[in-house]
Amino acid sequence: MNKLFNLKEALKGIGIICLYYILQLLFSMPFIFLIKSHTISEYTATLFVYILLPIPLIIIYLKDLKKDFQDLKKNYKKILLTTFKYWLIGTIVMIASSIVIALTGIKDNTNQEANINMLKHAPLIELLCAVLFGTILEELVFRRGLKNFTSNKHIYAITSGLIFAFIHIISSISNNSDIIMLIYLIPYGALGIAFGYAYKKTNNIFGTIIFHSIHNLISLIEILIIGVIV
């Protein structure tokens, strides 16, 4: 692909993001009734939805996943080391910007609060959703789904990273007074952009899936250590 901007691939990427939301809605609907009837808990329903969501995307990208897995087995050192370098840079920027945001007194975004709440009440389910199923889902949607809309690695990394970040904070913005929450585009975007560069460099989705999982696991451990759970 030599085009700076490929409209067809851009539409495909938008389609995958829309599919993500449509599937989320469809898979959640049956569980709403089960929750209301007290057949299952909200947390158990969340787990089932997270298990189901990646399946259609895995089917869509099955050929690429097989190719990437074979590549990972042959070149795992190069792929993992390269991804680690980008992840480390993204994490440093994320931590530094998060500290600055915390010092300003701006409240936590809704996504973070939801994760902490689930970790309190259903730690195993939060672990499975955040470290396993969620990372596979997000990497297929935001990294693989947007992969070919541009040949420019900088445009790809920044665009996919900011979309990834916005999805994580959109629930925190309900009115004009919440616009300040857009500042969270910096920490989330730093990580998303880093993964975008790593994926373009390695051309292997498993590298970003692995380090995205590691990152989320470390984040959960950090929450436990700092005593959020009492």
Side-chain angles (χ1 to χ4, degrees):
M1 184 187 70
N2 296 318
K3 293 182 179 180
L4 179 62
F5 180 77
N6 188 313
L7 179 59
K8 182 179 179 180
E9 291 297 329
L11 292 175
K12 284 183 180 180
I14 294 171
I16 289 295
I17 295 174
C18 292
L19 178 64
Y20 162 66
Y21 279 105
I22 293 171
L23 291 175
Q24 194 172 36
L25 177 62
L26 291 177
F27 290 153
S28 297
M29 287 178 65
F31 294 107
I32 293 175
F33 299 102
L34 293 175
I35 293 171
K36 288 183 177 180
S37 64
H38 303 290
T39 304
I40 62 173
S41 69
E42 180 181 348
Y43 301 114
T44 303
T46 298
L47 175 61
F48 279 118
V49 171
Y50 266 82
I51 291 173
L52 292 171
L53 278 173
I55 295 176
L57 294 169
I58 290 173
I59 294 173
I60 292 173
Y61 295 123
L62 186 58
K63 183 177 179 181
D64 287 345
L65 289 170
K66 288 181 178 179
K67 177 183 69 66
D68 285 0
F69 185 69
Q70 293 301 319
D71 180 39
L72 180 68
K73 290 196 295 185
K74 294 178 182 178
N75 304 297
Y76 67 92
K77 289 184 179 179
K78 180 181 178 181
I79 291 169
L80 295 182
L81 182 59
T82 300
T83 308
F84 169 75
K85 291 178 180 178
Y86 282 104
W87 167 74
L88 185 60
I89 295 171
T91 300
I92 291 172
V93 176
M94 184 179 193
I95 292 173
S97 58
S98 295
I99 291 174
V100 173
I101 292 172
L103 292 174
T104 65
I106 297 174
K107 65 179 181 178
D108 288 339
N109 68 86
T110 304
N111 180 72
Q112 181 71 4
E113 291 176 351
N115 288 336
I116 292 174
N117 187 57
M118 184 177 288
L119 188 58
K120 286 182 178 180
H121 297 95
L124 180 58
I125 291 177
E126 171 64 8
L127 184 70
L128 290 172
C129 291
V131 177
L132 181 58
F133 302 114
T135 53
I136 294 172
L137 175 66
E138 290 182 353
E139 290 305 313
L140 290 179
V141 171
F142 302 109
R143 241 65 67 188
R144 178 56 187 88
L146 296 168
K147 180 184 179 183
N148 296 320
F149 85 92
T150 179
S151 59
N152 186 290
K153 64 179 181 181
H154 304 299
I155 295 176
Y156 164 77
I158 293 171
T159 302
S160 61
L162 289 179
I163 292 174
F164 168 79
F166 187 72
I167 294 301
H168 281 77
I169 68 171
I170 189 172
S171 58
S172 300
I173 304 172
S174 58
N175 52 60
N176 291 337
S177 63
D178 291 330
I179 295 299
I180 188 63
M181 301 303 289
L182 288 174
I183 196 171
Y184 281 100
L185 285 173
I186 300 174
Y188 280 107
L191 190 65
I193 291 170
F195 282 145
Y197 276 115
Y199 184 38
K200 273 293 185 180
K201 184 73 174 181
T202 63
N203 196 33
N204 193 298
I205 197 65
F206 285 103
T208 56
I209 288 176
I210 290 170
F211 277 94
H212 194 162
S213 296
I214 291 172
H215 180 90
N216 286 358
L217 178 60
I218 292 173
S219 297
L220 294 182
I221 293 173
E222 177 190 5
I223 291 173
L224 290 171
I225 291 176
I226 64 177
V228 172
I229 296 181
V230 294

